[in-house]
């Protein structure tokens, strides 16, 4: 019995496990470092956010024993139901959601705060992977086959924009288009969709004054350092103070109620201030390796004609890459602020749980791929 247990442990991707654990531990340490001032200021409890983060870690640790045992075929079978539930939650959050900074993104259930936008990411990629595994020839041969999955993403995007949450919409579109490209869709189909999306984004920016202000402050945050450019200038100050080796863990000044959202969206700024260039580089390298590993797992599954597993693994890798790119871009002033977390690092229960569920799915895909070397797994239709 012991030998069989050890055999199954080896079949899991240990590199992916250790890298994920390293990021989670780093994230927890940085949440402890960054959230104490804001916890004391808002709730008179310096460990308010720390206790919630630890609770989320314990919850996902217990849930991982369930998710690691769910066959990939079950995810495929229920992918349509999952995206329907996700869409319903996006509607519910607009009706009874909790407003934070003018955005309706959270549904409060006791001590849990569910963010349907995070669920929409994994549900969308489950749906697209399922669609491509069944209709890949249709995607190759006609424009409707390409447009159909994008229309579902567009429907979810309408509800997300109503919250508003433009950052999640951009991640969904970038990842979905990339997966369709990897599936072999025609180039001319991409130009038509990309052109339409660009026009839509320009329209969305021009119709909301706060989005125009974000763009203007992104171009020159120092023009209004105490107004629209405040968050970005404070972020750049934090990164500038870090230099090569950083000020040392816990020695950030910007987290002392100078930089808003220092424990969530802008946690990378404090990492730069406390751990310096070296700390930033190591964290980004770890996320890159996880994303690359996901793409590698997906490639192996595609080679074995396990289309759903392959496309899903690739979509998770691309999702982590794009979200990291947008978060770092906003923190460093390369991109406008979008309100996206840094995967596995930033504070946030829904984000952390969904990201770790995605990692569990990756481990399961790799597990089944390794098992197939000794056992014949059926090819997906």
């Amino acid at each position: 019995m012991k030998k069989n247990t050890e055999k199954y442990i080896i079949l899991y991707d240990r590199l992916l496990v250790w890298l994920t654990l390293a990021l989670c531990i780093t994230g927890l340490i940085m949440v402890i470092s960054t959230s104490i001032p804001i916890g004391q200021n808002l709730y008179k409890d310096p460990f308010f956010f720390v206790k919630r983060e630890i609770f989320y870690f314990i919850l996902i640790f217990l849930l991982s024993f369930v998710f690691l045992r769910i066959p990939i075929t079950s995810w495929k079978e229920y992918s349509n139901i999952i995206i329907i539930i996700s869409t319903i939650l996006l509607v519910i959050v607009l009706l009874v959601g909790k407003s934070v900074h003018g955005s309706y993104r959270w549904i409060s259930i006791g001590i849990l705060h569910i963010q349907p936008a995070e669920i929409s990411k994994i549900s969308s990629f489950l749906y697209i992977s399922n669609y491509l595994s069944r209709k890949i020839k249709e995607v190759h041969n006609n424009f409707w086959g390409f447009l159909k999955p994008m229309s579902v993403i567009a429907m979810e995007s309408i509800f997300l924009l109503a919250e508003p949450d433009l950052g999640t919409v951009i991640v969904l579109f970038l990842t979905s288009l990339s997966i369709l490209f990897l599936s072999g869709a025609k180039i001319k189909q991409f130009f038509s969709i990309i052109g339409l999306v660009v026009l839509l984004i320009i329209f969305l920016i021009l119709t909301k004054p706060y989005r125009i202000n974000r763009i203007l402050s992104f171009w020159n945050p120092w023009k209004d350092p105490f107004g629209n450019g405040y968050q970005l200038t404070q972020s750049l100050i934090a990164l500038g103070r870090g230099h090569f080796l950083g000020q040392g863990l816990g020695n950030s000044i910007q987290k002392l109620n100078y930089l808003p959202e220092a424990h969530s969206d802008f946690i990378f700024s404090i990492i730069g201030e406390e751990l310096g260039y070296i700390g930033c580089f190591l964290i980004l390298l770890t996320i890159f390796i996880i994303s690359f590993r996901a793409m590698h797992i997906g490639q192996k599954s595609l080679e074995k004609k396990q289309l759903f597993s392959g496309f899903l693994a690739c979509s998770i890798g691309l999702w982590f890459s794009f979200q990291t790119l947008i978060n770092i871009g906003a923190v460093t002033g390369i991109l406008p602020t979008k309100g996206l977390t840094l995967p596995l690092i930033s504070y946030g229960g829904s984000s952390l749980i969904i990201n770790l569920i995605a990692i569990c799915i990756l481990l399961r895909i790799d597990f089944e791929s390794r098992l197939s070397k000794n056992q014949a797994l059926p090819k997906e239709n």
Side-chain angles (χ1 to χ4, degrees), residues 351-371:
S351 174
L352 179 65
I353 289 173
I354 294 299
N355 288 338
L356 287 174
I357 287 174
I359 294 293
C360 288
I361 293 174
L362 274 179
L363 290 170
R364 182 69 196 193
I365 291 172
D366 185 67
F367 173 79
E368 292 186 3
S369 178
R370 291 169 188 254
L371 275 183

Side-chain angles (χ1 to χ4, degrees), residues 5-52:
T5 303
E6 290 175 352
K7 177 183 176 182
Y8 279 93
I9 291 174
I10 293 172
L11 285 174
Y12 284 108
D13 190 323
R14 287 178 291 180
L15 175 63
L16 185 58
V17 171
W18 286 114
L19 289 176
T20 302
L21 285 174
L23 273 186
C24 288
I25 292 170
T26 303
L28 179 60
I29 292 172
M30 292 312 303
V31 167
I32 293 172
S33 176
T34 56
S35 67
I36 288 177
I38 190 172
Q40 178 64 35
N41 185 45
L42 295 179
Y43 301 101
K44 307 302 179 184
D45 180 2
F47 298 105
F48 176 83
F49 293 103
V50 176
K51 288 184 285 189
R52 293 176 73 89

Side-chain angles (χ1 to χ4, degrees), residues 173-189:
F173 267 96
L174 287 175
T175 306
S176 301
L177 286 172
S178 299
I179 288 297
L180 288 167
F181 179 78
L182 289 175
S183 71
K186 296 177 181 178
I187 296 295
K188 63 180 182 181
Q189 296 172 340

Side-chain angles (χ1 to χ4, degrees), residues 94 153-163 169:
L94 295 175
I153 300 300
M155 180 185 65
E156 287 208 311
S157 298
I158 292 171
F159 296 119
L160 287 166
L161 290 171
E163 294 183 2
V169 172

Side-chain angles (χ1 to χ4, degrees), residues 105-118:
R105 300 185 185 180
W106 290 268
I107 300 173
S108 298
I109 304 176
I111 62 173
L112 292 177
H113 298 285
I114 301 172
Q115 190 173 0
E118 294 295 333

